[in-house]
Structures are given as structure tokens and as C-alpha cells.
Amino acid sequence: MRKEQQMATGILEHVGGKENIRKIAHCMTRLRLTLKDDSKADIAALKKVEGVMGVVVDETLQVVIGPGTVNRVADEMSQLTGLGIGEESEPEYDSLTFEERAAIDNERRKEKNRTPFKNFLRRIGNIFIPLIPGLVASGIINGAANFAKNAGVDPTQTWMQILLLLGSSVFTYLAVIVGWNTAKEFGGTPVLGAIAGMFLFNPFLAEITIYGEPLVVGRGGLFGVIFAAFLMTFVEKNVRKVMPAAIDIIFTPLVTVLTVGFFSLYAIVPVAGLLADGITKGLIAVLDVGGVVAGAVLAGFFLPLVMVGLHHGLTPIHLELINTYGNTALLTVLAMAGAGQVGAAMAIFVKTKNRRLRNIIKGALPVGFLGIGEPLLYGVTLPLGRPFITACMGGALGGAFQAVMHTAATGIGVSGISLIPLIDDGKYLFYFLGLLIAYGGGFLFTYLFGFKEEMARDI
């Protein structure tokens, strides 16, 4: 039996066994145990377990083990008890009330019905839902400031510059936060996930040439960040298995960062970039065909791009269209995707009785109207599944209308209502009517067949 296994077994023996463990966690040096019955812990015997440096009795029982080793002992404890790190055990079933048993039975049924795709959506939701308060607050500020700028307010005024700074900060560093949450979701060290986000959005990328071309900052999008952060977690866990405990705290993160860093630059950024280029060129080809079909297809398939963060790759295309034609007809069409999502969220708000879901929608709708769609996307439509599709359908209706009306924007920025001042050739009303059509389409499709109350139970 390995040293860590012996320590985990010894600790478990003197805290009342696995049945007495409610929660397992750890910091850099201490194993933190939340017990169901503290009186069952034999502190004196715990201190005598080989490898234990000390025991601190606080809100949690803290067993001092030391850096490097504590991670492995926690993993062993997790395997012995069946509890994930940070996961809380269920109360004893027989001691529960009828209502509590019914809730647990319902949760077990949901667990059985969770498909790999549903679990994937749930993990995406777990990464982005904690960001919603920041996205909502920053989105409102950013949307209002951009609306004022588009309406003619001088953006060089100090108060406007401050508003633009406050509103754009979270979006500027979103990759870092997403990387942190991704690593946390998959059981890795959060700061290593954050570093993965920094790799893909560091301005110094432009100074590095790989495969004969300079790298493009942010080219991999949030999809690249999520994959790189997941890879950080995967590599970290596997390196830790073979790394001696005495040097684990130094060399495990070092090897992880170097390995994933080089792989990100040589594989993730170029591959995700090629994917983005292929998608954007395909979009332009569809736009060249023109007409109702083009508008519907472009708007209908835009939300999946936003989902993986590849929509940022369209910025150069918008700028090129503005440079060539004086406006971008692509932007007004794609803006309808977010409007379809707003309509879908409103339908869910009307139908659901789930208080948490209603609160998420209530907070995210204002910025959705202003063209910031991430809170609704990651907090509502994507985790629910089917409403994501009906939102795309509503956006397709609006996109078809914009294509027929030949609306275009003279600049880029946020979409939604905030884009109205930038609509070219005086077609403000047509653009606004397109928004209403997308709102209405998303609402009707979702209300009629896109949402059922049982979907809200997983939120």
C-alpha cells in the first residue's frame, strides 16, 4: 500500500469512518474534513497517523499534511468515500422527511436521465453561470455607453471614457475568468486555468511567428480557452500521479504550464484559427448569395459561434466590408440572433415557475436588449437545450427580414437596440422592425414547443 493510501486509511479510521464524512476539501497544506458527528473524531489518534504533522479543530477538522502530499491524500480519501473533492454527501436517507426523500428520489431520476450531451451543457453552464452578475452589470454600462457614443456623444470626455472602461473590463479579461472557472469545474487548480486564458489572449502573441505566420491574439476564442484550461487540468492530474510529493508543489504546475503552453500555441491557436477562418469565409459566401435564405441561415447559425467564442473572428470581415462598401450588411443580419434569444428568454420567463431561472432571466434581459447576449446564452438557453434551438429559429426570421430590407451598419460594436444610431441610409425603422420580428419569433417558437417546466429542474 502506498504512503498516501496508508495515510488516507488511517485518517478515515480515526474520524468515524466514511459514513461520518460529509465533505472533503483541501488547501495547500491541510486536508479539511466536514464531519457529520464531530464527537466521533479521535484527535489524539489522528496526530499519531504517520505523515500527519498536526490537527486543527475549527469549523472543519483540519489535518496538516504538507504541500504536494495533501492533494494525493485528498484524492485517496475521495476514492475511499466515493465523495468528490468539495462535494457534500447526502444525509442519511432513512432519517429524512417525506418531502426530503421525494426531492432526493427526483434528483436520482434526473441523474439517470442525463445524457452526455446534457452533461456537456450542464458543465458549460457551470462555467459561465457564476459570471452572470458581472456580465449583467458590465453589459448595462457598456451598452449604455456605446449607445451614447453611437448617438453622437463625444467619447473622449472623461466620464465617457470611465464608463467605457468600466463596461468593457470584464469582456477584455473574460478569457482569464473562463479559464479559471473551467479548471475549477473539472477539478484542477483554478489559477492554471486562468493562465490558459492568458496564453490565448496575451498581446505578445502577435510577436510570435509559428508555421510562417504571426499568431493572432484571441484567435482561438473562448472555445480555445475552455479546451486549453481543460487540458491544464488533465495534464496536472496525470503529472501529479508520478511526481514525488517533495517536489510536487514546484514541478507539477511547472510541467503543466510548459506542456499546455507550447501545445496551445502550436496546436490550439492555429487549429481554432483555421476553424474560425473557415466559418467566416463560409458566412461571406452565404451572404454573397443574398436574399431571404442567406439572412435566415446567417442569423440562425450565429448563436453557435457565440457559444464557442468564435464570433470575434468576424470583426475583420465587418471592418473590411465597411472599408469596401461603407457599411456592413452582415452585422445587422447577425444581430438578430441575439434578439431571437431575448424572445426565447421572455417566453421561458412567462412559462416557468422556477424562481432561480426567473431571477437569472430578470437580470440578463436588460443587457440582452442592449446586445450583450452571453448572460442569456450561458445562463438560460444553452443549459436548457431546446430553447437554444428555438432562439436560433427566431433569429433566423429577423435575419431574413434584414436581408430583404438591405439594412446595414456604418460601424461595429454591440448589437441589439444599441446599434440603431449606426444604421445606414436612414433605415432605422426597418432595423427596429427586424428586432421585433426576431423577439416575436423567439418568443412564439419557445412558448409553443421550445420549453417545458421539467427542463427547469436541471438549472
Side-chain angles (χ1 to χ4, degrees):
M1 185 180 291
R2 291 185 291 109
K3 174 185 175 183
E4 290 81 8
Q5 289 177 313
Q6 292 177 335
M7 289 183 65
T9 302
I11 292 170
L12 199 58
E13 179 184 347
H14 298 302
V15 296
K18 64 180 181 180
E19 296 80 10
N20 196 37
I21 303 289
R22 186 181 300 280
K23 186 177 181 180
I24 301 170
H26 70 85
C27 58
M28 190 67 71
T29 59
R30 301 182 184 191
L31 178 69
R32 297 173 182 264
L33 303 177
T34 303
L35 306 181
K36 296 176 182 178
D37 184 352
D38 293 333
S39 65
K40 292 184 178 181
D42 187 340
I43 305 302
L46 265 179
K47 291 179 179 178
K48 294 179 181 178
V49 174
E50 186 177 354
V52 172
M53 302 175 183
V55 178
V56 178
V57 180
D58 203 346
E59 291 183 3
T60 59
L61 182 65
Q62 302 174 21
V63 184
V64 183
I65 296 174
T69 306
V70 69
N71 310 68
R72 303 182 184 194
V73 173
D75 288 339
E76 294 294 340
M77 290 283 289
S78 175
Q79 292 180 29
L80 290 171
T81 61
L83 282 174
I85 305 297
E87 177 182 292
E88 194 156 340
S89 68
E90 294 180 354
E92 292 295 331
Y93 189 82
D94 293 338
S95 66
L96 301 177
T97 64
F98 174 79
E99 291 79 8
E100 290 171 332
R101 291 183 188 183
I104 288 178
D105 289 341
N106 184 51
E107 184 62 33
R108 287 172 177 170
R109 281 194 298 269
K110 288 193 297 181
E111 193 67 37
K112 289 180 181 179
N113 292 329
R114 280 176 180 160
T115 64
F117 181 67
K118 286 183 178 178
N119 286 332
F120 169 74
L121 295 181
R122 180 176 57 84
R123 287 203 180 264
I124 293 292
N126 290 343
I127 292 170
F128 286 95
I129 286 176
L131 309 183
I132 288 176
L135 293 174
V136 168
S138 299
I140 291 174
I141 297 171
N142 197 39
N146 276 284
F147 186 90
K149 184 172 74 171
N150 294 345
V153 176
D154 183 5
T156 62
Q157 296 183 68
T158 301
W159 67 272
M160 272 290 289
Q161 291 177 324
I162 292 174
L163 285 180
L164 290 168
L165 168 70
L166 297 179
S168 64
S169 292
V170 71
F171 299 101
T172 302
Y173 299 101
L174 187 59
V176 178
I177 309 173
V178 168
W180 176 287
N181 279 2
T182 301
K184 186 177 179 181
E185 171 64 18
F186 288 98
T189 302
V191 71
L192 296 183
I195 292 173
M198 297 174 194
F199 287 158
L200 274 64
F201 281 78
N202 192 321
F204 192 69
L205 279 176
E207 305 296 323
I208 301 173
T209 299
I210 293 179
Y211 304 129
E213 294 184 3
L215 297 177
V216 178
V217 178
R219 194 179 187 192
L222 293 181
F223 173 77
V225 172
I226 291 172
F227 182 75
F230 168 78
L231 195 60
M232 278 280 196
T233 299
F234 177 81
V235 172
E236 178 193 8
K237 288 181 176 179
N238 283 278
V239 169
R240 179 159 284 125
K241 290 178 181 178
V242 299
M243 189 67 66
I247 58 174
D248 175 81
I249 192 173
I250 299 173
F251 287 99
T252 294
L254 177 62
V255 172
T256 301
V257 170
L258 285 173
T259 302
V260 178
F262 273 90
F263 185 80
S264 295
L265 300 189
Y266 276 91
I268 295 178
V269 172
V271 170
L274 289 173
L275 179 62
D277 289 346
I279 291 172
T280 53
K281 288 177 181 177
L283 287 174
I284 289 300
V286 172
L287 185 62
D288 287 340
V289 174
V292 175
V293 175
V297 170
L298 288 170
F301 285 92
F302 185 59
L303 279 183
L305 288 188
V306 179
M307 177 183 74
V308 296
L310 293 178
H311 60 298
H312 296 294
L314 296 173
T315 299
I317 294 176
H318 290 309
L319 294 175
E320 183 60 29
L321 288 172
I322 292 172
N323 182 57
T324 304
Y325 304 107
N327 57 45
T328 168
L330 181 61
L331 181 57
T332 53
V333 169
L334 299 183
M336 297 300 101
Q341 186 169 236
V342 167
M346 289 192 291
I348 296 169
F349 186 84
V350 170
K351 292 190 72 173
T352 188
K353 295 178 182 179
N354 185 303
R355 185 178 299 177
R356 182 168 184 265
L357 182 56
R358 287 173 64 89
N359 285 336
I360 291 175
I361 295 172
K362 196 185 303 181
L365 266 179
V367 295
F369 281 111
L370 293 173
I372 306 297
E374 283 86 352
L376 286 176
L377 174 64
Y378 298 117
V380 181
T381 60
L382 187 57
L384 290 173
R386 197 186 302 172
F388 178 75
I389 297 173
T390 53
C392 293
M393 293 168 63
L397 287 181
F401 179 82
Q402 299 292 0
V404 170
M405 295 297 108
H406 300 290
T407 60
T410 58
I412 62 174
V414 291
S415 55
I417 294 174
S418 302
L419 190 62
I420 291 177
L422 286 179
I423 299 303
D424 197 20
D425 201 25
K427 295 184 177 181
Y428 310 107
L429 181 59
F430 289 133
Y431 174 75
F432 183 67
L433 285 175
L435 283 175
L436 294 180
I437 290 171
Y439 294 152
F443 183 94
L444 285 175
F445 289 136
T446 305
Y447 189 88
L448 294 176
F449 55 84
F451 176 78
K452 294 181 180 179
E453 185 61 26
E454 52 263 32
M455 294 178 182
R457 293 173 186 166
D458 287 332
I459 294 294

